[in-house]
Amino acid sequence: MQSILEKGQIKFMSILELLLKGGWVMVPIFLLSILTLYALIERLIILNKAGKVSQKWLNNLYNQILTGDIEEAKLLCEQKHTAITSVIQAGLENLPHEPQNLEKSMELAGQTEIYRLEKNLSLLGAVAGIAPMLGFLGTVLGMIQAFMAMAHTTTAITPQLLAGGIYEAMITTAAGLVVGILADISYKYILTNVERVSYKIEQTASQLIEIVQESYKLQQTKRINEA
């Protein structure tokens, strides 16, 4: 609840009533707040799924590769739909015939997945900059209207009249700053999670390369022993 002085008495207003006094600028600020919440929730859902691969599943995959069962390893990747498994699957497509392209394929797939994970980040960055500016615009417009009203009034200008016009103008600044801060925090939080998933992808790709190299060494040793 908010309170203001009106005719010497305290009048209580709901948050909604207070925001409505901000004028038409509150409409785009409200829309930006909706976009921020949508982008934040949508990215959190995607990022939570992107890096969701258990070590048990990875160990099972590595065992299939070490035993030379590449098709079974590909099948395991097809059963999961995450950024990490997409990168692994891109690398496995080169096996067993073109192992030299393994690293390059995973690098390209990793770049594609990171690009997808960063979707809507630019939207959050834009909102973080635009919302406060809209808030300041609303304040300036409100102040202009307040001073114009005072200039044309035929009665004495009271402190209550002056304060009322100013606080209504400042509502948009507060709303714009709140939405801008929320968008900026969301941007940094999502970016941190993208970097976390990116690191996990790189780590998993490095492990896969080592496993494939170890698998080929075992196969060569086996062929030598059989000979």
Side-chain angles (χ1 to χ4, degrees), residues 132-144:
M133 294 176 66
L134 280 174
F136 291 135
L137 174 62
T139 296
V140 172
L141 293 176
M143 294 293 288
I144 291 173

Side-chain angles (χ1 to χ4, degrees), residues 6 10 19 34 46 62 79 131 144 155 158 168 207 216 224:
E6 186 172 279
I10 299 295
L19 292 176
I34 298 299
I46 295 297
Y62 295 155
Q79 294 172 353
I144 291 173
T155 60
T158 64
E168 289 184 13
Q207 291 177 350
Y216 274 84
I224 291 174

Side-chain angles (χ1 to χ4, degrees), residues 188-199:
K188 290 182 172 62
Y189 182 75
I190 295 301
L191 185 60
T192 299
N193 279 272
V194 170
E195 291 174 350
R196 175 182 58 82
V197 175
S198 177
Y199 173 76

Side-chain angles (χ1 to χ4, degrees), residues 21-22 24-25 135-153 157 161-162 164-170 172-173:
K21 286 185 172 291
W24 66 267
V25 178
F136 291 135
L137 174 62
T139 296
V140 172
L141 293 176
M143 294 293 288
I144 291 173
Q145 291 175 354
F147 283 114
M148 287 178 65
M150 286 187 288
H152 291 85
T153 185
I157 299 175
L161 176 63
L162 184 61
I166 293 175
Y167 94 78
E168 289 184 13
M170 295 297 290
T172 56
T173 296

Side-chain angles (χ1 to χ4, degrees), residues 86-110:
S86 295
V87 173
I88 293 175
Q89 189 172 7
L92 292 179
E93 292 299 326
N94 294 281
L95 301 179
H97 305 296
E98 299 177 348
Q100 69 276 7
N101 296 327
L102 174 68
E103 185 174 357
K104 184 64 176 178
S105 296
M106 287 194 295
E107 181 181 350
L108 292 175

